[in-house]
Amino acid sequence: MYRYDQYDLTLLEQRTAQFRDQVVRRLSGALSEEEFLPLRLQNGLYHQRHAYMLRVAIPYGTLSSAQLRVLAEIADRWDRGYGHFTTRQNIQFNWIRLEDAPDIMDRLAEAEMHAIQTSGNVVRNITTEHFAGVAADEVLDPRPLAEILRQWSTMNPEFTFLPRKFKIAISASTTDRAAVKAHDVGLYLYRDERGEPMLRVLVGGGLGRTPMLGVVIREALPWRHLTTYVEAVLRVYNRHGRRDNKYKARIKILVQSLGAEPFAAEVEREWALIKDSPATITQAEYRRVAAFFALPPYADQAGPDAADVAARQAGNPEFARWCRRNVHPHKVAGYASVTLSTKPGMAAPPGDVSSAQMRAVADWADQYGFGEVRVSHEQNLILPDVRRQDLHALWQAAEAHALATANIGLLTDVIACPGGDYCSLANARSIPVAQAIQARFQDLDYLHDLGGLTLNISGCVNACGHHHLGNIGILGVDKNGEEWYQVTLGGRQGAAAAIGKVIGRAFRAEEMPEVIERIVATFVAHRHGDEPFSDTVQRIGLAPFKERVYALAGEQP
Amino acid sequence: MKQIIRALPSGAVVVADHWHILRDGEGEPVLPAGSQVLLPLPLWRRLRQDGVALDASAVGVWIGCDDEYEGLAGELLALPLIAVDFPAFRDGRGYSVAYLLRSRFGYRGELRAIGDVLRDQLFYMQRCGFDSFDVRADKDIDDALRGLTAYTIRYQGAVDDPVPLFRKRAEAAPDTADDGWAL
């Protein structure tokens, strides 16, 4: 993974020193809360319902085992012994004291981590998929370009006070596991017919109260122009994006109002003037950064391991189930990537990981892999390089730490924001609803029979839980001071992304498990063979689901 | 006497300033001899269209976020001082205005940030090409001066230094590896 040199370290030291001074000025009153607000947000510090929350950047979802141990240490020293992994592959600590924040920043910096631009109206943490560099279906490793973009966007002076937050994701596999189309700028890295790396550039995706999928504004951008092209997009946005209404300030609204083609033309005009500036990425720089992501020293694998895993699976249906859902193909024979589920159900809210679990995962990363851990936007942890012969031992260890729930991609692998229990923006709680649904679907055999089915919950329209992209989406809404939950169906993430549609009136929290059960029963009744849920919804439409769900209350849908 | 921050090649300093900013709604300018004034761009345009002779050394322009100035860029270049207004420190349009004036249109005169100009934004403003800063009146200007010295490292190029760090890294440690390598 990327390692800091003296330049990176110095920048971070200066940043933490500046932030420490800003906190002192805030506490002394030299900075008003209004003036301090964007400064603290640009350093990942929110004021939440009960306390300050610190959001730490995990660039493109990649952590070393040493860094994960530092996160565990932070959880123990300054928080309540756990952290929450988010859909932007960051980690959040919920119980931070403002006075402690500078010390935490220093501790992070020592481990080559930071909280820069994890919030605020800036370019946020650059994301990519959690199997980057190891996925069997990968065309290219997206991480070097993601790191180059991270550096370009970090404290970029022109784009630190944008109209709104700005999110960029990059994917380089045949399967999009990075929700690229739901980003302000989405990038698909691919090779053209001559083998040259190219970027397909999408702009204007985003969820929130006006969900939209990004549209392609450039089909084939040579990779060297990544940063200048993004600069052109941001300059157009910074100059022309709406600032009069924060709900209409995202770039998607600008793209929509101008039209994709005129917007693209505007970007091209701007880009033509800067495309050969010194910002153009050099081969040498790419090579320098890519060297940090070189393949680890994989061992040559002899044949018996595969047979060994198969034999263990045959004798152990639970292990077999885990292998089926939580083990992902690797591009090197004899290896696999393993997803550790943070979704055990009642034992912990989705994405919450204790410091003890973090340390255990760090140990497994060292013992079974090359000391690397990933965070997925589904809020799970991934060990990217596990020898297949170690899968059984890892599974047993993960079981002991409640990280081996065999539910990846299944209904109980719920994506959920922290909701009203923590977040001051939320209209409703997310965690109890997620857990009540997880409790209703505890039968793993049944869950596995249902197949891939994503359930996403957001506690408000800001859509941190990406509910629009869930096959089943749940949105918490406030009606006269009461918590209600609206259901959408038909959402999908990935290259064939779709935004779900609302099925009808909202429900009370206690109705939700039954509502989900009826949706699932409708699917089972109409499913053709092993058809995935989202295909069935697409084929039969919403009507059969509405009928069955609203028959619950004897209502017309 | 009002003070501003001037960024000079030798470092930033606090200096006395004689420019009067004529804000919108203050009516027609009354310019006593020897004073210098920053006119709102629309007013400056109108005066020129009306054929009013403006003293090149005593009249500058301030650009608001919504002002259309690109069509006038050629004429603006001759001004001794252009100011860009920050109606709120969180409104970042002024950064792009400064970038364009410096990099696209080649303005070489003094470029000043006015309005809601605060210490923690000065570094970014300077990087975008501002070289003077009319810090908000209720703030300690000597304290604000420190906003320009917080950083010695810049990842990306900008107006102050268009060469990104990666090219400097390459110079510091020339890469002599085989260039036949490809992505």
Side-chain angles (χ1 to χ4, degrees):
Chain A
M1 57 186 288
Y2 184 72
R3 295 304 309 268
Y4 285 6
D5 65 11
Q6 201 51 51
Y7 297 106
D8 304 290
L9 289 171
T10 303
L11 180 75
L12 213 49
E13 281 165 15
Q14 293 173 344
R15 177 76 172 200
T16 52
Q18 183 193 47
F19 180 68
R20 184 177 290 278
D21 185 55
Q22 288 165 344
V23 170
V24 168
R25 282 186 279 146
R26 173 67 198 114
L27 293 172
S28 78
L31 275 173
S32 70
E33 181 56 25
E34 189 209 351
E35 289 159 5
F36 182 55
L37 176 77
L39 305 177
R40 70 166 159 78
L41 291 181
Q42 286 171 17
N43 286 289
L45 200 64
Y46 278 77
H47 193 252
Q48 289 291 30
R49 200 167 284 258
H50 310 288
Y52 279 95
M53 178 268 273
L54 178 67
R55 180 182 292 155
V56 176
I58 301 176
Y60 33 93
T62 299
L63 280 171
S64 68
S65 53
Q67 289 175 326
L68 187 55
R69 288 188 187 98
V70 170
L71 295 175
E73 181 192 326
I74 288 169
D76 285 338
R77 279 176 70 182
W78 290 292
D79 203 279
R80 296 189 180 178
Y82 72 98
H84 173 76
F85 291 96
T86 76
T87 51
R88 284 211 68 67
Q89 302 178 303
N90 297 307
I91 185 171
Q92 295 178 178
F93 296 103
N94 281 312
W95 304 94
I96 296 296
R97 294 185 336 135
L98 176 60
E99 294 82 346
D100 292 334
D103 290 342
I104 301 174
M105 303 292 188
D106 283 344
R107 186 68 191 96
L108 288 169
E110 286 168 17
E112 302 180 14
M113 285 189 285
H114 61 75
I116 300 172
Q117 292 175 204
T118 54
S119 181
N121 294 335
V122 291
V123 178
R124 301 286 188 90
N125 191 35
I126 312 290
T127 59
T128 185
E129 71 147 301
H130 42 277
F131 298 130
V134 297
D137 66 337
E138 183 169 276
V139 182
L140 274 162
D141 186 346
R143 291 171 301 170
L145 287 182
E147 173 59 28
I148 286 169
L149 206 50
R150 181 191 77 84
Q151 295 189 16
W152 174 84
S153 63
T154 297
M155 298 180 62
N156 191 311
E158 193 181 341
F159 307 124
T160 307
F161 293 90
L162 293 168
R164 277 289 269 145
K165 58 188 169 180
F166 202 90
K167 299 177 179 180
I168 304 176
I170 177 167
S171 161
S173 295
T174 51
T175 305
D176 170 3
R177 287 175 286 261
V180 165
K181 291 186 173 174
H183 285 75
D184 296 287
V185 165
L187 301 158
Y188 287 112
L189 185 62
Y190 66 97
R191 286 185 190 278
D192 69 6
E193 60 283 359
R194 293 166 304 145
E196 267 297 296
M198 291 287 167
L199 291 153
R200 182 174 301 118
V201 183
L202 288 76
V203 173
L207 300 175
R209 68 183 64 212
T210 319
M212 289 186 202
L213 299 175
V215 291
V216 177
I217 61 162
R218 199 169 221 278
E219 196 55 54
L221 179 75
W223 64 273
R224 287 167 182 265
H225 298 301
L226 169 63
T227 48
T228 51
Y229 201 83
V230 172
E231 178 177 329
V233 170
L234 276 165
R235 185 163 300 126
V236 170
Y237 172 55
N238 192 37
R239 298 179 66 203
H240 304 296
R242 287 183 63 168
R243 282 180 156 89
D244 58 322
N245 180 341
K246 75 178 272 197
Y247 303 117
K248 295 186 174 175
R250 295 288 291 270
I251 197 171
K252 60 192 172 187
I253 304 293
L254 179 64
V255 174
Q256 187 193 44
S257 69
L258 287 178
E261 280 184 28
F263 177 84
E266 183 84 12
V267 170
E268 291 286 328
R269 265 196 301 280
E270 177 59 38
W271 180 60
L273 297 164
I274 57 172
K275 71 190 273 275
D276 295 316
S277 70
T280 306
I281 307 165
T282 59
Q283 191 103 318
E285 172 64 359
Y286 182 87
R287 190 168 44 216
R288 183 186 77 85
V289 176
F292 291 106
F293 301 98
L295 292 182
Y298 293 111
D300 282 338
Q301 288 298 303
D305 307 330
D308 177 57
V309 173
R312 284 180 185 277
Q313 289 190 44
N316 188 334
E318 288 180 28
F319 176 58
R321 212 156 40 199
W322 182 78
C323 286
R324 203 157 57 239
R325 293 308 320 185
N326 298 34
V327 175
H328 194 267
H330 197 284
K331 66 171 154 195
V332 175
Y335 284 83
S337 299
V338 169
T339 304
L340 299 164
S341 174
T342 70
K343 324 286 180 68
M346 294 310 287
D352 277 17
V353 177
S354 71
S355 56
Q357 287 176 316
M358 289 184 215
R359 291 193 184 92
V361 172
D363 290 347
W364 304 332
D366 290 337
Q367 190 178 350
Y368 302 117
F370 299 95
E372 198 179 328
V373 180
R374 307 290 182 80
V375 182
S376 71
H377 86 265
E378 289 91 353
Q379 305 172 281
N380 291 311
L381 295 180
I382 283 94
L383 297 175
D385 305 296
V386 178
R387 289 180 299 270
R388 286 194 164 269
Q389 62 186 10
D390 293 331
L391 285 172
H392 190 262
L394 172 61
W395 172 69
Q396 287 181 311
E399 279 270 274
H401 281 85
L403 288 167
T405 310
N407 63 349
I408 300 307
L410 303 179
L411 178 60
T412 57
D413 184 10
V414 176
I415 292 179
C417 71
D421 291 300
Y422 295 98
C423 180
S424 49
L425 300 173
N427 294 117
R429 283 168 295 170
S430 305
I431 295 166
V433 172
Q435 292 185 320
I437 294 167
Q438 287 170 322
R440 181 71 70 104
F441 289 88
Q442 274 180 331
D443 181 343
L444 274 172
D445 286 327
Y446 181 57
L447 262 188
H448 279 248
D449 289 345
L450 294 177
L453 200 180
T454 59
L455 174 66
N456 295 41
I457 305 179
S458 301
C460 77
V461 290
N462 292 304
C464 293
H466 297 179
H467 63 279
H468 301 105
L469 298 183
N471 298 159
I472 301 173
I474 299 175
L475 167 65
V477 291
D478 172 83
K479 278 200 228 171
N480 305 320
E482 288 182 28
E483 296 180 351
W484 290 78
Y485 297 88
Q486 197 177 64
V487 174
T488 55
L489 288 180
R492 290 184 194 228
Q493 55 169 313
I499 289 165
K501 294 191 181 71
V502 178
I503 62 166
R505 73 138 180 106
F507 305 93
R508 290 180 181 280
E510 57 271 22
E511 294 178 286
M512 287 310 297
E514 180 65 22
V515 167
I516 303 304
E517 193 156 292
R518 285 173 182 244
I519 289 169
V520 168
T522 311
F523 159 58
V524 170
H526 289 85
R527 183 186 200 183
H528 287 169
D530 284 340
E531 191 177 37
F533 179 87
S534 57
D535 288 1
T536 305
V537 174
Q538 199 167 34
R539 184 167 54 75
I540 68 175
L542 299 188
F545 294 95
K546 290 184 188 181
E547 267 168 43
R548 190 138 179 182
V549 166
Y550 290 101
L552 176 64
E555 308 169 21
Q556 293 300 313
Chain B
M1 178 56 65
K2 191 173 114 179
Q3 293 185 309
I4 60 150
I5 290 175
R6 259 309 244 151
L8 303 168
S10 52
V13 287
V14 175
V15 296
D17 182 68
H18 303 273
W19 288 88
H20 171 72
I21 304 169
L22 186 75
R23 286 286 176 181
D24 299 306
E26 287 184 23
E28 297 293 320
V30 181
L31 302 178
S35 76
Q36 295 172 300
V37 67
L38 282 168
L39 303 179
L41 183 70
L43 175 61
W44 179 77
R45 181 193 287 139
R46 185 154 55 78
L47 292 174
R48 285 171 61 88
Q49 281 166 353
D50 294 348
V52 177
L54 299 170
D55 178 354
S57 65
V59 174
V61 157
W62 67 266
I63 299 174
C65 285
D66 295 316
D67 289 342
E68 278 297 327
Y69 62 92
E70 288 170 67
L72 295 163
E75 297 159 73
L76 292 173
L77 296 187
L79 295 173
L81 173 62
I82 298 177
V84 177
D85 186 42
F86 286 80
F89 69 91
R90 288 201 258 184
D91 188 329
R93 284 176 288 186
Y95 297 93
S96 284
V97 174
Y99 168 87
L100 291 171
L101 284 172
R102 290 292 196 207
S103 299
R104 190 74 32 93
F105 303 117
Y107 178 65
R108 294 284 167 263
E110 183 179 340
L111 188 58
R112 181 176 299 183
I114 62 169
D116 204 3
V117 176
L118 301 174
R119 166 177 162 175
D120 295 287
Q121 283 73 36
L122 298 190
F123 171 71
Y124 301 119
M125 289 173 175
Q126 184 180 31
R127 294 220 64 203
C128 289
F130 289 105
D131 57 2
S132 73
F133 309 90
D134 188 353
V135 176
R136 209 173 75 193
D138 63 327
K139 294 291 182 184
D140 179 342
I141 195 162
D142 294 304
D143 176 67
L145 202 53
R146 293 149 81 180
L148 291 168
T149 52
Y151 291 96
T152 58
I153 305 288
R154 298 135 168 81
Y155 273 132
Q156 61 299 100
V159 173
D160 62 333
D161 182 355
V163 180
L165 178 62
F166 73 79
R167 290 184 187 269
K168 294 172 184 164
R169 278 175 162 141
E171 274 172 33
D175 189 343
T176 53
D178 174 23
D179 267 324
W181 182 92
L183 232 174

